[in-house]
Amino acid sequence: MTAPSFQALDGAAIDGGWYTTITDFARDTHWLNAPMLAFTSYGALLFAVALLAGWWMARRADAAAMAASLAGGVAVILAYLLNSGIKDVFAEPRPCRALPHDFLVEACPPLNDYAFPSNHTTVAFAAATALLLIHRRLGALALVLAVLMAASRVYVGAHYPHDVITAALIGAAIAVPTVLLGRRYGAPAVERLRTSRLRPVLARR
């Protein structure tokens, strides 16, 4: 008796209609295609810069703020790793495979590059959520960019709406406890290290 084969998640049956509506909008807004493609491809760099800015500002704050800032980077890495594992479990084909006639701005990825959930969106929301807990104004700006990242992933045809919604929840759910625990339990270690050779990294002279 043979073992049953794994059934991949059928994303088109969940919200394929919404996906088509959004990609039809992309087809009708050619002037927006290039900016959205550029942002969805390279926008992750903005979140890296924002996290670095949060770290830089934390050098002037107390040890708890610096610990939270460092935990923000850890949160992004953890969220990415968890999200990648979920992708392999659900193995949802990209919408360009299930709906091959829909308009695409971004080229269709390889077969083993799954859709659910979106890595780009998970990283963006993990960074934005962490920054909201570290520096409110910087976090608010990052949150706007994270929403734009999620929208861009559907606009360019890389993901279904449920891919980015789930990814946003994963990113936020990982970032909140990671940063809060980092702030609470990492502060004593930062305080000690600020008296070591690492002081220039952890505090202003």
Side-chain angles (χ1 to χ4, degrees), residues 12-201:
I14 299 173
D15 53 11
W18 288 6
Y19 169 83
T20 297
T21 298
I22 295 168
T23 55
D24 283 349
F25 172 72
R27 181 193 59 207
D28 297 335
T29 53
H30 282 287
W31 58 271
L32 190 56
N33 288 180
M36 289 293 268
L37 181 60
F39 180 77
T40 205
S41 300
Y42 305 109
L45 295 175
L46 296 176
F47 296 98
V49 170
L51 287 169
L52 284 172
W55 159 76
W56 184 259
M57 289 184 287
R59 292 170 70 247
R60 294 175 287 182
D62 59 19
M66 175 54 73
S69 174
L70 296 175
V74 174
V76 170
I77 295 170
L78 290 177
Y80 175 81
L81 292 174
L82 175 62
N83 201 75
S84 297
I86 294 173
K87 273 179 173 286
D88 291 336
V89 170
F90 285 93
E92 177 190 79
R94 292 280 182 165
C96 55
R97 306 289 175 188
L99 302 167
H101 300 297
D102 282 22
F103 180 78
L104 294 179
V105 176
E106 184 177 88
C108 193
L111 281 170
N112 62 349
D113 187 349
Y114 302 121
F116 177 83
S118 163
N119 273 337
H120 285 73
T121 306
T122 296
V123 166
F125 271 86
T129 303
L131 286 165
L132 279 171
L133 298 171
I134 297 165
H135 191 282
R136 190 167 297 177
R137 281 184 292 181
L138 187 59
L141 175 60
L143 184 59
V144 172
L145 292 175
V147 171
L148 180 58
M149 176 60 76
S152 75
R153 299 308 290 156
V154 184
Y155 180 92
V156 301
H159 289 282
Y160 297 106
H162 71 268
D163 295 335
V164 299
I165 292 171
T166 303
L169 294 174
I170 292 171
I174 293 296
V176 169
T178 302
V179 173
L180 293 181
L181 289 171
R183 185 196 303 273
R184 180 172 180 179
Y185 296 106
V190 169
E191 195 68 60
R192 289 193 300 271
L193 290 172
R194 278 181 164 180
T195 63
S196 71
R197 293 181 179 179
L198 291 176
R199 179 175 175 78
V201 177

